Amino acid sequence: MANRLSDIKACVFDAYGTLFDFNSAADRCRDVLGDKADELSAVWRTKQLQYTWLRGLMGRHKSFWDVTGDALDFAMDTVGVSDGALRERLMGLYYNIDAFP
């Protein structure tokens, strides 16, 4: 077994959605979002991925953090939430999202 592993040069993990629960930020804001938490989280993640793909195809790179914020702005608008303090809270929570058990 040791010989088969000796040629490994790198290991790659898909962190978001595999190791880290991207829904945890919105879950921890259920006190403010209520029933909108699940929809906001779903729209946020979908738009985050779409923005990443589109910007990559267009050659208009932005950092993952900027894309995450842009996607959150879209998601909040989509679910009808306009609250700057909540946006900052969600972004702060996303910076430290929970790992899956």
Side-chain angles (χ1 to χ4, degrees):
M1 179 68 138
N3 289 340
R4 285 190 272 162
L5 298 177
S6 64
D7 292 334
I8 294 175
K9 304 289 186 230
C11 292
V12 178
F13 295 91
D14 176 26
Y16 292 91
T18 304
L19 300 176
F20 300 118
D21 181 5
F22 55 82
N23 291 306
S24 68
D27 282 342
R28 288 191 265 164
C29 290
R30 232 171 248 286
D31 60 321
V32 177
L33 291 168
D35 292 341
K36 294 182 177 183
D38 293 331
E39 182 183 7
L40 180 122
S41 187
V43 172
W44 187 5
R45 179 62 175 163
T46 298
K47 191 53 67 173
Q48 182 188 51
L49 293 171
Q50 289 172 347
Y51 282 166
T52 300
W53 298 329
L54 288 171
R55 287 185 172 132
L57 289 170
M58 295 185 312
R60 301 179 80 185
H61 174 80
K62 271 193 163 182
S63 72
F64 183 73
W65 192 246
D66 288 339
V67 170
T68 299
D70 291 346
L72 176 57
D73 293 340
F74 180 90
M76 290 180 74
D77 188 53
T78 299
V79 301
V81 175
S82 178
D83 182 337
L86 176 60
R87 183 194 188 280
E88 292 305 310
R89 182 178 168 197
L90 285 161
M91 288 297 289
L93 290 168
Y94 204 91
Y95 192 71
N96 291 297
I97 57 176
D98 296 336
F100 285 110

